[in-house]
Amino acid sequence: MCIEFETPKPIAQQQYVLKTVAENMMRSVSREMDENEHAVPYGYIEFMHAAMKATGAGSLAPKSEKKEEDLNKPKRPPIGYQMLAHMLEMLSWGDVGMYLVTPGGGLGAAAVEAAATPEQKQKFLARFGEEKPTFAAMCMTEPGAGSDTSAIKTNAYLDEKTNEWVINGEKIFVTAGHKSMVPDECFGKGFIVVWASIDPSAGRAGMRGFVIEQGTPGATVTKLEHKMGIRASDTAAISLIDARVPYDHVLGNPTVEKQTEKGFKKAMATFDATRPLVAATGIGVARASLEFVKEKLAENGIEIRYGLPRNKLTSIERDVIDMEIMLRSSWLMVIKAVWMADNGKPNALESSMCKVKAGDVTTKITQKAVELMGPLGYSREFLLEKWFRDAKITDIYEGTGQINRLVVARQILGYSGRELR
Amino acid sequence: MYSFEPNEEQQMLLEAVGRFAANDLRPAGHDAEEEGTLPKKVVSKGWELGVLQASVPEAYGGFGERSAVTGVLALEEMAFGDLAGTLAVNVPSLFVTPILLVGSEEQKKEFIPPVIEMDWQPYTAALIEYALDFDPLELKTFAKAEGDGYILTGEKAFVPFAREAEAMLVYANLDGNTQGFIVPKTAAGLTVRSEAEKLMSLNALPTYRVSFEGVKVPKGNRLGGEAGHDFQPVLASMRLALAAMAVGVARAAFEYSRDYAKEREAFGVKIAQKQAIAFMLAEMATEIEAIRMLTWEAAWKMDTGAEDAFKDAYLAAVGAADMVMMVTDRAVQILGGYGYIREYPVEMWMRNGRGLATLVGLAIL
């Protein structure tokens, strides 16, 4: 036990490699990907797939065999989530839109990882370690159900004759939904995890995740959204009309327990784990913007005089100093949240808190950066204006800033969802 | 590795400091502020916790090693009780810690043990000057080399316990550099105003204006010895102390207003059940945690000698000053009219909060 802020060596080494990737495979095509919405960065995807296969980094594919443990070796504390947070931050520093099309299963695989049986994990996750890059997506949001997931209308019933689940509904804002569900000869066969109710009268207790494989009749991508930023990432609408999946494609207990919300809690558990990671992606974008600002100021002979009393600083100095404070403190909150996850400490509060902070900080920093750079900030000749557009999503997806405030408030007040709506 | 858990020794210290903050400082804080004086026995009890003593090596009369991380933990915990009380308890640190950090071996041996080995005594330091463009790095109190010593000329403000202090560390501008000088209270030309400073808060902490008219300081009393010293580690340690105390004061205000919001009813529900209040509290908790992390990291960097440690301490202090103002202001707001009434502690925390941007040099860790 101690208080320490030393970046673990394996993470530092990984960061060194990822920076090269971010510079050479992401920044170099960043503008092109932004201008050609829905173009697929095949080069980046294939490179990342090969790299992740070789190192096992960032992939949720079950490890085939465990190495014999050397009992004499002192056990190191686990750093998996910390590593992932650093990885996502650096890749998002490269290009957050492209990072979102990193193969490996994304939120879909994370939902399986959080809620599935060992057999299901083997069945659904093994593909991510295979030859071709493969995608999976999570389908939660509906036209009438965003943050209020209890309003989900998509439903599933069991056809007892065929022992299949039959799913009907409409899902929107599905990140990587197209890559998961529409065949592409360069990619493996993906899937989506659809959250649906098996008993609408049971509210959240009736909610379950269902794995729907690519090619399932009735599950169709109907639209690709056009977005303010993160344009390299496909955001799909998926319609489900009598989509049938085998019985064992349901995640978690298939019977309704009216008194509990286990099924839904599993979905939420996915968010506890991924909120700090999403925060990390925003922070990567903010760091890119702040570095750009400092570089341009230096080029123009504008020095930031750290150490001066506040009332002696210029306006630009105050802004840059504030941006640094925001960036570093939010990043440390992310590190703490993932460190807790690695060490098996409940981190619902810290996860939501760092997401609240990162959502604020990334939007504020990128907005201020554009302001400070004048015409350079607004011009598409530089990437700064793109980072401003990319950043805003951080405060929206994986729970808006407001929903996360609600989660934080309930935690610090000891209130249930009923006591604080 | 990253790690966010105080070690066992730190936890024990935190428990002791926490008890003192809750059982002694907090109950005394309100009346001390109103009456303008803090009971000596509270100060003595705080001193006996040994926060400073534990940061001084045995060779100089203490029983430990300095750790900025331990320092920020302890100061946050103590300031959670009461800010003026925390400053009073730690006044001797203003004299000891800079000597420990950048003093010469002779100075450490001569000046530290008499402070450390005894009961609480008011040894102090003078940094702030009464000018709106006050800058610790561009002081207007000047030191001039003359003969085999130095001559100090100028005026200092907000010097805690100056009237009673046996000796003080005076910071002055020597050829453009901020340098410390150890000055005994008997020095000719040193005048402490008879009337204490009147500030927006911290009434329980007596502070004074001190003037220096050609005060002679022997060569050996220049902090660091003949070659002088680097002021940056001293300033950074002062800033970290402010940041840590800001987190403590903010936490006090946050917890008080949170508990109030869970009791107070309006329109048939507790006001904490209204998002307008709940969101304020959520943001307060978030900002406190953000600055706490920044402060911890800066302290850790100080302890490990990282090259950007001083810059980070500055950033932590700047961030902390904004954070504590935001949090204490909202705490007052959550209590509404009661927040503005001196019977409740939150308005004092708000006045304390504003001071933390200004009072560099009133604490060090």
Side-chain angles (χ1 to χ4, degrees), chain B residues 96 101 129 185 215 217 224 271 284 350 352:
Chain B
V96 168
L101 283 173
E129 294 166 352
K185 75 167 172 190
V215 173
V217 183
I271 61 167
M284 289 154 78
M350 184 173 164
N352 287 164

Side-chain angles (χ1 to χ4, degrees), chain A residues 1-3 345, chain B residues 4-19 70 73 77:
Chain A
M1 275 190 305
C2 60
I3 290 172
K345 298 173 193 293
Chain B
F4 298 87
E5 278 173 320
N7 66 31
E8 265 175 53
E9 220 171 292
Q10 289 164 337
Q11 281 179 8
M12 274 161 58
L13 181 69
L14 281 179
E15 271 168 38
V17 174
R19 273 196 304 273
T70 306
L73 293 172
E77 200 65 21

Side-chain angles (χ1 to χ4, degrees), chain A residues 345-361:
Chain A
K345 298 173 193 293
N347 71 345
L349 172 63
E350 286 75 10
S351 276
S352 284
M353 216 148 66
C354 75
K355 174 70 165 58
V356 166
K357 182 72 176 164
D360 269 355
V361 156

